[in-house]
Amino acid sequence: GTNEWKTVVGLAMFFIGFTALVLIWEKSYVYGPIPHTFDRDWVAMQTKRMLDMKVNPIQGFSAKWDYNKNEWKK
C-alpha cells in the first residue's frame, strides 16, 4: 500500500494535541475557581436542610430518608 495513512494519522494526532492545548489554556485562563457550592461540607449542609424542609416527600429526595432512625432507608 501507500504511505498516505501516515499523513492521516499524523494530522489526526496533531489536531488532537492542539485541542488538548486549547482545553488546558481555557481551564487556566478562561474559567474561574470552582464555586464554594461544590465543597463537600456545603453539599452536606444543603442535603440536611432539604431533609429538614421535607422537600418532595412523596416520591423525591425526602421519601428516601427515615426520619425516625435519622438515616437513609434501605
Side-chain angles (χ1 to χ4, degrees), residues 8-58:
V8 173
V9 171
L11 285 173
M13 293 297 174
F14 171 77
F15 285 116
I16 290 171
F18 182 73
T19 302
L21 290 175
V22 169
L23 290 175
I24 292 169
W25 177 81
E26 281 183 354
K27 187 174 181 184
S28 299
Y29 295 106
V30 176
Y31 298 117
I34 296 175
H36 66 92
T37 54
F38 283 90
D39 187 29
R40 290 190 185 275
D41 294 333
W42 181 271
V43 172
M45 289 188 302
Q46 185 179 20
T47 303
K48 180 65 176 152
R49 183 169 185 261
M50 289 175 70
L51 290 171
D52 291 343
M53 291 172 43
K54 296 184 180 179
V55 174
N56 202 359
I58 304 300

